[in-house]
Amino acid sequence: MTALGTPIQGVTLYSFTRAFHGREYDLDQLIRKTAAEGFGPGLEIIGFSSFRGFPDIDDHFAGRFSDLIDEVGLVRTSLAVNADIGLRPDKLMDQDELIAYMRRQIAAAAKLGFPIARVQISLTPDSMEALAPIAEEYGVTLALEVHADQYASHPRILALRDRYEQVGSPFLGFTMDWGATVTGFAPSLLEAYRRRGASEELLAAVVALWDEYYEQGPPADQADHGQRFGRFIGLSHQYGRPDLGIDLGINGTGLFGPARVDDWLEIMPWVKHVHGKFFGIDENGREPSVPVADLITLLVDNGYSGAVSSEYEGWHWNHWQSPFEIIRAEQVIQRAAAEAAGSRMITDAAEARRTLDTHLSHAVRA
C-alpha cells in the first residue's frame, strides 16, 4: 500500500505577472512578498520572464539570488525553461541545435540552484532521451509540462512516458498542470468578456459548448482539437463579436482541458512537479472551475510529496482583484483538502527541502 503523500505548498511568480509587468514589484521585492505572505516555502520562477539575459547567468547574480532565497526562507522548486524550436524566422531548430539550446538553460537552472527544470511539449521522446545525460550531469530533473490541450492519456504524453520507462533515468518526468482537468468555463473569464461588451446570449452559448465538450471528454487528436477551436470562433461570429473568436478558441481549448481527474493516474509515478493551475476564487471561497480538492486528494492518495506551485492564470483577464488575495484563498483550499485526505501540506522550509530531496531521489515506481 502506498504511503500518503505530503505535498509541499508553493507558488510560481507567474501568478503575479500583472503586478510584475506593472512595476509594482521588482524581482527581489516579489520574492520577499511571496515569503512574507506565507505563499511558500516552494518557489517556482520562469527563466526568460524573470532573469535578465537568461539563460546567461553570471556568478555575482547567482550568488546574490541564492543569498536572497536563503534570507527569506524559501525553497527553490522549479525553473520554467523554454523549448522554442521556432526561434529562427527561416527554419525550425534541428535536434542538435535544440539540445544545445536546452543545455544552456539546464546549466542556468543548476547555477541558480533549482532542482527541476520545467520543459515543454516541443520536446519529443528522442529529444528527452538525448537530454537525459545532460540532466544527470547537472543534477537537474526535467519535468515536461502536461498542459491543455494535452492530457495524461494523450498519445504524445504516453509516448513520452513509455520512452522514460525505457531510458530508466530518474531525471526525466512530468509537470502535472491542473488546467488539463478543468470542470467548467471559468466565471472570472466570463465576467471579463461581459466587461468587454459580450452579450449574455454569447456567453451562455460559450458555456453550453464547453459543457458539451466536457461531456465528450478531451479531444482525441489535433484534428479534433482544431474543430473545437473553430466552433468557438463560429460562436463569436454568430453572436456578432468576431473580435473575440480567437480569444475564445484559445481559452476554451488551450486553457480549460476537460480530462477527468483520474486521468493523471496514467503518469502519476513520473510526476515530479505540479502546477496548481486555477482561475479564480468565488465569494464562497471555492474555485468554481478547477477541482482543487479532488486533485490534492489524488496526489496525497498516490504518495506524491513533491511541490505544488499555485499557478493563478486568471491574471490574464482579471484586473479588478488582487492576485495575492486570490492565491491566499486557493492555498487554503489545498491545505484543507490535504488534511481531509489524512495528510497535510508542508509549509516549513527545512522540512520542504528534505522532502523534495527525497522525492526527486526516488527512482520511478513502475
Side-chain angles (χ1 to χ4, degrees), residues 104-125:
R104 291 176 62 207
Q105 296 182 75
I106 294 167
K111 191 167 189 176
L112 290 165
F114 286 91
I116 295 172
R118 183 247 36 195
V119 299
Q120 297 168 305
I121 193 63
S122 304
L123 296 172
T124 64

Side-chain angles (χ1 to χ4, degrees), residues 1-69:
M1 181 177 177
T2 301
L4 295 179
T6 50
I8 298 162
Q9 179 180 283
V11 71
T12 170
L13 294 190
Y14 174 73
S15 301
F16 312 122
T17 298
R18 186 177 291 276
F20 186 55
H21 283 179
R23 305 198 176 203
E24 297 173 43
Y25 300 88
D26 63 19
L27 180 61
D28 285 18
Q29 291 168 335
L30 198 52
I31 290 171
R32 290 182 184 280
K33 183 170 179 63
T34 294
E37 294 285 353
F39 297 147
L43 178 69
E44 178 172 14
I45 297 180
I46 299 177
F48 279 104
S49 68
S50 296
F51 300 117
R52 190 181 301 276
F54 188 83
D56 297 323
I57 303 294
D58 65 44
D59 293 343
H60 174 74
F61 179 85
R64 191 170 66 81
F65 176 75
S66 183
D67 289 345
L68 173 61
I69 297 301

Side-chain angles (χ1 to χ4, degrees), residues 262-319:
D262 62 4
D263 188 63
W264 290 116
L265 294 174
E266 292 283 354
I267 60 169
M268 185 58 66
W270 289 266
V271 172
K272 305 294 187 178
H273 187 65
V274 173
H275 281 170
K277 173 74 63 60
F278 76 107
F279 306 102
I281 301 295
D282 65 19
E283 63 277 6
N284 298 311
R286 300 189 183 96
E287 211 307 347
S289 52
V290 178
V292 173
D294 292 343
L295 288 158
I296 288 291
T297 300
L298 182 82
L299 293 173
V300 168
D301 287 349
N302 286 276
Y304 178 79
S305 293
V308 177
S309 290
S310 291
E311 186 182 43
Y312 171 54
E313 193 90 31
W315 67 264
H316 282 284
W317 54 80
N318 187 336
H319 54 80

Side-chain angles (χ1 to χ4, degrees), residues 132-143:
I134 298 172
E136 293 172 8
E137 174 187 346
Y138 287 100
V140 174
T141 296
L142 305 183

